[in-house]
Amino acid sequence: MILLMCNNNIEVKKTDNRRNFIRNLGMALIEDHLRNRKDNPQIPKDSRKKWIQRRKMLTKAFHFNILKKYFVTFLKETDNLMKRVREDAGKEKTDLFHLMNSTTLRIMCETTMGVTNNDITSLVGPYLSSVEVICDCLTKRLGRIWLNPEPIYQLTNIAKIEKNAVENLHTLTNTVIKRRRDYLAEKNFNHFDHDENFESKDKLAMLDLLLKNEKAGLLDNQGVKEEVDTFMFGGHDTIAVAMTFMMMALANESEIQDKIYEEICQVLGDSDRSPTTDDLSQMKYLECCIKESLRLYPSAPIIIRHLREEIVLGDYTVPADTSAFIFIYDLHRRADLFPDPERFIPERFLPENCANRHPYAYIPFSAGPRNCIGQKFAMLEMKTMMCKLLRMFRLEPITKPEDIVYKMDIVLRSTHPIYVKFCGR
Ligand code: HEM
C-alpha cells in the first residue's frame, strides 16, 4: 500500500482526468457493510453506470421546491427536540450526540422516506445502536489489515456482531420500504406522477422515486434497499455529528452566540412564530457559523477516491488502481488557506472574505460529480434547528474544543461524549 500525502496545492486540471477518479472506499465500504455482502468488497464493474443512473433519478428529490415541503418536517421535529431540551435545561450537562441522532433519523424517515413517526418509533433506538456497532466493526476491520479478505473476516467474532447489527438495522429500513409501498398502493401509485412539477400538496419522498423507477424496471428491490440504506445512514449521522460539534463550539464562543441571537431577533422580531425559509435565508451570520463549524469539524473527515488510470499529481505519477485519500479535516486547518486555523471565525465565510479562496480549499460536502447530493437539505435542516434552539436556549460550555480526542471512524467522532449545558433564555 502506498500512502501519498501532498501538502501543497495539487489540482487535476483536465476534465478528462477528473473522470479517472471514481468514488471508492468511504461510501462503498459502508454500503458494503450495510448490505453485509459475502463476496469480496470490490467495486463492481458496472458501479459507475449504476451510480450515474441512480444519481440522475434521485437528484429530483432534492429540488428546492421539494426541500420546502421537507421544511415542514424540519420545523415539527425541531419542536419535538426542543421539548426534550426543555426537560434538560438547567441540568448539569446534556450529551449532544445522543440528543441529536434520533431527531435527525426521524427527519430522514419522514422527509426522504415519507413515513411518519408512529410507524417507526420502536425501531429508532435499535437502528441507532446498530449504526454505532457497525461503524465500530468497520473501523476495527480497517485497522487490522489481515481482516481485509472477506473469508477471513467472516470467521471472526467482529463479523458475527456486525451481522446481528445489520439485521437489526434492516428491520427499520425494510419497515420503511414496506410502509411506503403500502401507502402508495392505497393512494394509487400514479397519483405521484404529476409531482415532478413539484407543485402538488403531497410530499414527493425520495423513496417514491425509487419505487416508481422499480416499477418501470430501472432498478430492482435490492437496488431500492441499497439506496434506502445509504440515504438513511448518510443523511442522519452526518447531521447529528455536525450539530454536536457546532453546539459545543458555540457554547465556547459566547460573543458569537450573542451575534447569532441578535440576528435571529432582528429577522423574527418579537413574534414567537417559527422561521420561514425566507427568514432563514436572511440569517447570513448563522450560515457563516454553520460553514465555519463544518470547516473545523467536517462530518466526513476523510474521503477516498479510486484512481482508474495513472494520473500525474504535482511531481508524482500515481499508478492506476491506487486509493487516494483526501484529508478534508487537515485541508480545512491549513494555515495558508485559513489563517489562525484553530480559531472559530465565522467572518471567514463572508462573501468578501472567501472571494479569492481556492474553490477546493473548503469541501465539507466533497466536490465534483460525486459530491454530497444532500447538501442543501443538510444546510436547511441545520439552519432550522440552530435558529429555533438558539432563540430559546443559551449554550454554556462543558466540553472544550481542546478536550476532544478523536476516534478512528468514518465520520468525525470523539472518544468521549460531547456535552453542553442548556439554559433557558
Ligand atoms: C452535515 C451534513 C453532511 C455532510 C458533511 C455530508 C458530507 C458528504 C460527503 C463528504 C460526501 C462524499 C463522500 C465520499 O466521497 O465518500 C457525501 C456524499 C453523500 N451524501 Fe452527504 N453529507 C451530509 C448530509 C447528507 C444528507 C442530509 C444526505 C441525504 C439527505 C446525504 C446523502 C449523501 C449521499 C447519498 C452521498 C453519496 C453521493 C453520491 O455518491 O452520488 N448527505 N456527503
Side-chain angles (χ1 to χ4, degrees):
M1 182 205 254
I2 302 167
L3 189 59
L4 173 68
M5 296 187 73
C6 307
N7 208 20
N8 48 352
N9 291 331
I10 286 179
E11 195 181 331
V12 183
K13 292 236 184 282
K14 276 171 63 188
T15 358
D16 260 8
N17 280 353
R18 288 208 179 119
R19 286 204 196 102
N20 291 347
F21 284 94
I22 61 168
R23 191 183 56 154
N24 184 18
L25 297 169
M27 290 298 268
L29 255 181
I30 189 72
E31 281 163 9
D32 208 72
H33 279 245
L34 294 180
R35 218 178 297 151
N36 209 6
R37 273 190 4 206
K38 295 275 183 296
D39 48 313
N40 224 359
Q42 284 169 348
I43 301 161
K45 290 233 164 22
D46 67 341
S47 76
R48 186 176 154 79
K49 214 171 123 197
K50 188 167 104 177
W51 168 76
I52 292 174
Q53 186 215 10
R54 290 189 188 174
R55 174 94 186 197
K56 207 169 147 203
M57 174 194 302
L58 294 173
T59 298
K60 284 180 195 161
F62 295 92
H63 185 282
F64 187 66
N65 289 345
I66 299 283
L67 286 186
K68 276 187 165 169
K69 294 179 184 180
Y70 292 163
F71 180 63
V72 179
T73 305
F74 298 167
L75 290 173
K76 190 186 81 183
E77 280 304 325
T78 309
D79 285 339
N80 289 336
L81 170 71
M82 305 242 289
K83 280 185 202 146
R84 290 167 57 204
V85 176
R86 227 165 263 134
E87 284 165 19
D88 268 22
K91 280 192 190 156
E92 191 200 335
K93 59 185 183 181
T94 299
D95 172 352
L96 286 173
F97 183 72
H98 291 108
L99 174 76
M100 292 311 308
N101 65 351
S102 55
T103 299
T104 55
L105 180 63
R106 286 200 168 88
I107 289 179
M108 278 311 288
C109 289
E110 188 162 332
T111 53
T112 55
M113 305 300 156
V115 296
T116 61
N117 263 330
N118 298 342
D119 292 333
I120 47 133
T121 299
S122 62
L123 305 176
V124 167
Y127 179 94
L128 294 171
S129 328
S130 305
V131 168
E132 285 185 32
V133 173
I134 294 166
C135 286
D136 202 42
C137 294
L138 178 64
T139 42
K140 274 188 184 138
R141 184 180 186 186
L142 282 175
R144 294 166 175 82
I145 199 157
W146 60 94
L147 296 184
N148 199 22
E150 193 67 19
I152 295 181
Y153 181 62
Q154 287 305 328
L155 297 174
T156 65
N157 208 25
I158 308 176
K160 281 187 203 119
I161 294 172
E162 185 196 295
K163 189 168 176 274
N164 261 335
V166 170
E167 274 166 22
N168 279 336
L169 178 133
H170 283 159
T171 314
L172 174 63
T173 46
N174 290 340
T175 306
V176 160
I177 298 171
K178 184 175 180 314
R179 288 283 144 87
R180 197 63 190 173
R181 274 193 205 283
D182 293 348
Y183 175 80
L184 292 180
E186 220 177 84
K187 284 257 169 184
N188 180 5
F189 211 72
N190 297 330
H191 170 70
F192 285 86
D193 283 355
H194 66 279
D195 207 310
E196 290 193 2
N197 300 323
F198 314 115
E199 276 157 12
S200 104
K201 277 194 192 148
D202 282 299
K203 272 186 275 191
L204 177 82
M206 186 207 83
L207 179 52
D208 299 348
L209 283 172
L210 291 170
L211 296 175
K212 199 165 132 183
N213 281 281
E214 184 197 26
K215 211 177 174 199
L218 294 173
L219 84 170
D220 57 12
N221 182 35
Q222 181 57 28
V224 172
K225 284 183 174 183
E226 283 168 16
E227 294 304 319
V228 168
D229 275 338
T230 306
F231 274 81
M232 293 277 274
F233 173 80
H236 92 275
D237 210 22
T238 45
I239 299 193
V241 165
M243 287 293 295
T244 299
F245 282 101
M246 197 183 332
M247 285 196 271
M248 179 280 301
L250 290 175
N252 285 278
E253 299 284 353
S254 64
E255 281 178 21
I256 295 177
Q257 245 193 98
D258 289 344
K259 279 181 82 173
I260 301 178
Y261 184 67
E262 263 169 43
E263 183 182 71
I264 295 172
C265 294
Q266 249 171 31
V267 175
L268 296 177
D270 292 336
S271 75
D272 60 358
R273 67 177 173 83
S274 283
T276 61
T277 48
D278 287 342
D279 293 327
L280 292 179
S281 53
Q282 288 177 51
M283 297 181 192
K284 303 285 182 209
Y285 188 70
L286 174 58
E287 190 166 318
C288 290
C289 291
I290 297 175
K291 287 182 177 167
E292 177 66 344
S293 185
L294 287 174
R295 178 185 71 82
L296 282 166
Y297 308 106
S299 308
I302 302 173
I303 53 172
I304 312 165
R305 292 289 182 274
H306 185 77
L307 302 187
R308 294 201 298 182
E309 287 171 24
E310 178 183 290
I311 200 165
V312 176
L313 291 176
D315 295 337
Y316 303 94
T317 301
V318 187
D321 274 334
T322 303
S323 293
F325 285 58
I326 300 161
F327 294 94
I328 299 180
Y329 181 94
D330 300 86
L331 172 72
H332 286 180
R333 285 172 189 246
R334 263 177 54 175
D336 57 331
L337 299 171
F338 301 98
D340 209 352
E342 301 296 323
R343 279 189 55 207
F344 193 98
I345 309 176
E347 288 73 13
R348 295 181 206 273
F349 290 96
L350 290 174
E352 60 274 26
N353 294 338
C354 45
N356 295 326
R357 194 173 294 142
H358 193 287
Y360 297 139
Y362 177 71
I363 50 166
F365 295 105
S366 179
R370 291 243 168 171
N371 67 355
C372 176
I373 197 172
Q375 58 183 290
K376 290 209 174 87
F377 178 111
M379 286 304 286
L380 187 61
E381 180 178 333
M382 290 188 288
K383 236 179 166 182
T384 310
M385 291 196 282
M386 288 310 296
C387 167
K388 288 189 96 123
L389 280 168
L390 292 180
R391 195 175 181 202
M392 300 302 287
F393 303 98
R394 192 173 168 76
L395 307 172
E396 297 282 339
I398 302 289
T399 304
K400 298 192 170 53
E402 57 273 23
D403 297 337
I404 290 170
V405 179
Y406 294 107
K407 193 173 160 189
M408 185 186 156
D409 208 315
I410 53 166
V411 290
L412 196 71
R413 294 195 207 280
S414 75
T415 46
H416 300 295
I418 294 179
Y419 298 106
V420 296
K421 178 173 176 176
F422 284 99
C423 303
R425 286 197 190 266

